[in-house]
Amino acid sequence: MEILGIDIGGTGIKGAVVNTKTGETITERIRLLTPKPATPEAVADVVKGLVEKTGFNGPVACGFPARITQGIVKTAANIDKSWIDVPVEKLFSEKLGREVPVVNDADAAGLCELKFGAAKDFKGQILFLTIGTGIGSALFSNGVMYQGSELGHLKFKGDIAEHYCSALVREQEELKWKVWGKRLAEYLNYVNFLFCPDLFIIGGGVSAKFEKYREQLPKDLNIVPAKCLNHAGIIGAAAYGAIRLGEES
Ligand code: BGC
């Protein structure tokens, strides 16, 4: 199936048409700036503009950086607060004149790793973390996703985990990779205590720098970097769309 996968982020909105059987993008990736302020109506307009730019008339699915429950936005940690309680699937579906499944961005990227990346053919419990401005999480048990986890918001070190070891925190506090890696290790040990996955996958921009902090990570945990890198959100959103539209499992 061919689906236009769209990854909505704090600075950019990216999309490409994906072959959901192979996980390959079959058109150039288009990137538009996220509007400021990123209100629901303004974001929906940019999404529409992106779809029009591709000239694609088929199905569309989106990844979105918040918890989505029954098509409704429930959190707004790193997005405009006006998104809370917005029925995002309805908004986008009406704007685009077709049914648009919307999934949490980390769940989307995790699904990409499960189907086409670091966890392809892996059997067991998987915890995927995407580490960027915030920390997003996705949980899988033997190929089935437990949707909507928010493990970046676990209470940790007197605050929440994403305020301690996100990529943004590393940049803002100008932490050396080794120092940041130790923070990440503390967090991974805690998450392991709670969920004990067979495999951890580290996604987001820091996955490409894995060698810089690998030595600091707990040796007794099975931790690998993500493989899908930049396109994970787009491909994962499309893969989710194929499941929701009843074309794939
Ligand atoms: C949000 C998550 C999101 C993650 C990555 C967190 O702050 O709460 O829903 O997946 O950032 O964008």
Side-chain angles (χ1 to χ4, degrees):
M1 188 180 196
E2 291 179 0
I3 299 191
L4 171 54
I6 298 183
D7 184 19
I8 299 175
T11 51
I13 298 181
K14 300 167 279 184
V17 179
V18 176
N19 175 330
T20 57
K21 283 261 182 271
T22 61
E24 282 159 356
T25 51
I26 55 177
T27 58
E28 282 294 299
R29 188 186 74 144
I30 294 180
R31 182 179 190 274
L32 299 178
L33 287 180
T34 304
K36 282 195 169 85
T39 57
E41 205 44 49
V43 170
D45 282 337
V46 174
V47 168
K48 186 170 185 220
L50 192 149
V51 174
E52 284 170 358
K53 242 180 159 198
T54 64
F56 183 71
N57 288 319
V60 176
C62 296
F64 192 85
R67 169 176 279 158
I68 316 286
T69 305
Q70 304 289 331
I72 298 172
V73 177
K74 288 293 169 193
T75 58
N78 295 309
I79 57 168
D80 197 87
K81 302 296 173 229
S82 61
W83 275 100
I84 298 265
D85 285 337
V86 168
V88 62
E89 288 195 344
K90 186 165 172 275
L91 176 71
F92 289 176
S93 298
E94 284 174 3
K95 190 63 86 179
L96 299 178
R98 62 199 103 174
E99 184 187 346
V100 182
V102 181
V103 65
N104 170 264
D105 60 348
D107 283 342
L111 197 56
C112 178
E113 294 299 329
L114 179 84
K115 284 182 160 275
F116 310 111
K120 192 166 175 262
D121 302 324
F122 185 87
K123 301 271 175 298
Q125 328 259 47
I126 300 164
L127 173 44
F128 168 83
L129 294 169
T130 179
I131 305 182
T133 306
I135 297 181
S137 58
L139 287 164
F140 302 91
S141 181
N142 294 316
V144 178
M145 175 159 69
Y146 182 96
Q147 234 176 294
S149 66
E150 283 284 357
L151 303 186
H153 289 253
L154 282 173
K155 295 275 179 295
F156 196 62
K157 302 271 175 185
D159 197 333
I160 59 171
E162 72 178 20
H163 292 166
Y164 183 67
C165 53
S166 68
L168 180 69
V169 167
R170 190 191 71 79
E171 287 164 24
Q172 284 173 337
E173 297 185 21
E174 296 178 9
L175 301 176
K176 296 236 177 330
W177 282 106
K178 283 189 177 161
V179 176
W180 179 79
K182 279 187 190 153
R183 286 194 183 193
L184 181 62
E186 290 176 87
Y187 170 59
L188 292 179
N189 275 327
Y190 182 50
V191 176
N192 183 60
F193 166 71
L194 296 172
F195 292 93
C196 64
D198 301 305
L199 177 68
F200 277 96
I201 304 172
I202 305 296
V206 298
S207 60
K209 306 282 184 196
F210 195 69
E211 291 311 320
K212 294 195 185 283
Y213 53 87
R214 162 181 238 141
E215 279 308 304
Q216 278 65 50
L217 301 184
K219 302 277 180 291
D220 55 335
L221 303 184
N222 187 13
I223 308 170
V224 296
K227 279 199 179 148
C228 300
L229 305 178
N230 274 341
H231 287 8
I234 293 174
I235 297 168
Y240 176 77
I243 296 170
R244 278 283 300 280
L245 298 171
E247 298 286 333
E248 284 165 34
S249 56

